[in-house]
Amino acid sequence: MHDQPAPKVLDSLWRYRWSSLAVVLGVVVLSVAVSLLTADRATAQARIVLKAPDRAGLVGVEAPSESAFVRYVNQRALFAGSDRVLTAAAAKVGDPPVSELREQVTAEASANGDSIVVRVTADDYAASAALAEAVVGAYQDESRADVRAAAQKLVDTLAARRAAILASIPDVPEASRSVEPNYSAAGQSLSELDKQVTQVRAAAEQFGDGVSFVDRAVPDPAAGGAGARNAVLGLALGLLAAAALAWLRADRDRRVRDVDDLAGVVEEPVLAEVETLVPPELAALREVGSPPLWPYQFAAASLRTAVDRGVVVVTTPGRGDGATTATLQMATTAARGGSRVLVVDAAVRSHGLSDLLGLRYDRQGLTSIAVGAARLEDCVRVIDLGDQVPLWVIPAGQYEEATLDHFRSSLLRAAVAAMRAGYDLVLVDSPPPAIAPEVTPLVRESDGVVVVVRRDRETRVVHRLRDQVRLLGGAIIGYLFTFVPPRSETPRRDLPTPLAPLRRAR
């Protein structure tokens, strides 16, 4: 027995597309929900763009190159996160402990190295924004104080030098000062010192706090993008989970989805595949004498090739697969081809074929033959298919629960031999042997078995029926695959006109 190949992932996803879509959406929603519940929603970010250090050396650094300026920005970022700045910031927001601010505040150089990025995490956005603004303000205040202190120190140094120069000037009469060389040199030095003091004060005023401009606190883009990132991650995980679940379900729930699936799990040929019919078409198809569909004609031709003359059992793994319709259609095809055809309703409990032929309440039938109550020839009925084409029928007969206990295999074997001798082709509409053990002698004595399998039937059920037929000594000729989705290129058949009432003869 062939094993059905492992399902494909894409086919499994399409097969369980709605449940797979639910899994993907569920994982995405869960990912976003987790992001919203655990994300740092109270994170604010402010940016401090620095001025280039002045050449007067007020901040103790010169930045003649880009790399030097980047180093300067990194130094100022360290200063922005220092305890001194955090202490000043705490005074602006209610004096929280500096140790707490160390955990809430981070300051680092931006990616392009032109600014300081201050990030603050607090209980809510308003608190984090207020603290970020406080840190920026404290940085500006402390930087301005440092610049002023450095400027004052330079001014004091220059003042001391000026005082020293004044003290060194000799006391000469005013009329002689113009010709006194020391006095003239001292005057030039004092003038230069005064100029430097003016430059220092101007540079300090211009440099101020060393900040070019400030971007006010806003929600941190990195924190805000966590939801989108988690959604994308959830989508990827959801697709993986859906694919895994769909594949596992498809692997555990092996079904015959198309004719290739059926051919992959059995060794015998697929005689034909029959498309699903709309109710009006199905009703017309079940009319006795209606023109057979071409798939049944093809199946009948294949059947006559395999069994030129004999008894063929038509059965199915389960109810509703279309065995009765297939039996009547193939019998009609063979009869219209000039063969002497007998159909036997072996479904003694359901009387499906007898119902179609209007023979449900005929008391004599297969049950009468099996218990020895009637001869074969007494149970045969003749149905006119039209155009003077006869079809011989043995109905199911009267069914009673106790009747099955009296079925005799020897009588059924003798009846099968008589059927084979009297007709070109005998088609027996049989229920699955597992639920109708009384018909097992028909399978054993037959010349072949045709199995009708509907789409979406479980492969394990097909395997079980196949094994049962083999155990009973039967041989499967082939399979009919039914309820195939209609193809757009397949033309729809015209519905036949209603037929006249059936004419029966004994």
Side-chain angles (χ1 to χ4, degrees), residues 22 50 122 164 208 226 232 248 259 264 275 296 305 332-333 355 386 389 407 425 443 460 496:
L50 302 180
V232 174
L248 288 174
V259 69
E275 296 181 358
Y296 293 112
T305 301
T332 301
T333 300
D355 280 341
V389 177
F407 266 44
L425 178 65
V443 175
R460 59 182 178 82

Side-chain angles (χ1 to χ4, degrees), residues 60-144:
V61 176
E62 292 186 3
S65 64
E66 183 177 350
S67 59
F69 182 71
V70 170
R71 288 195 299 270
Y72 166 68
V73 173
N74 280 279
Q75 291 175 2
R76 300 311 296 172
L78 294 175
F79 177 70
S82 65
D83 286 354
R84 176 182 166 187
V85 173
L86 295 181
T87 300
K92 297 176 180 289
V93 292
D95 288 321
V98 174
S99 59
E100 180 179 330
L101 296 186
R102 291 196 197 102
E103 298 178 357
Q104 295 178 312
V105 178
T106 60
E108 57 186 8
S110 64
N112 56 9
D114 67 344
S115 58
I116 300 172
V117 178
V118 178
R119 291 188 178 90
V120 177
T121 303
D123 295 335
D124 54 61
Y125 174 68
S128 62
L131 183 53
E133 295 288 349
V135 171
V136 172
Y139 172 84
Q140 290 179 289
D141 293 342
E142 297 303 315
S143 295
R144 187 180 297 107

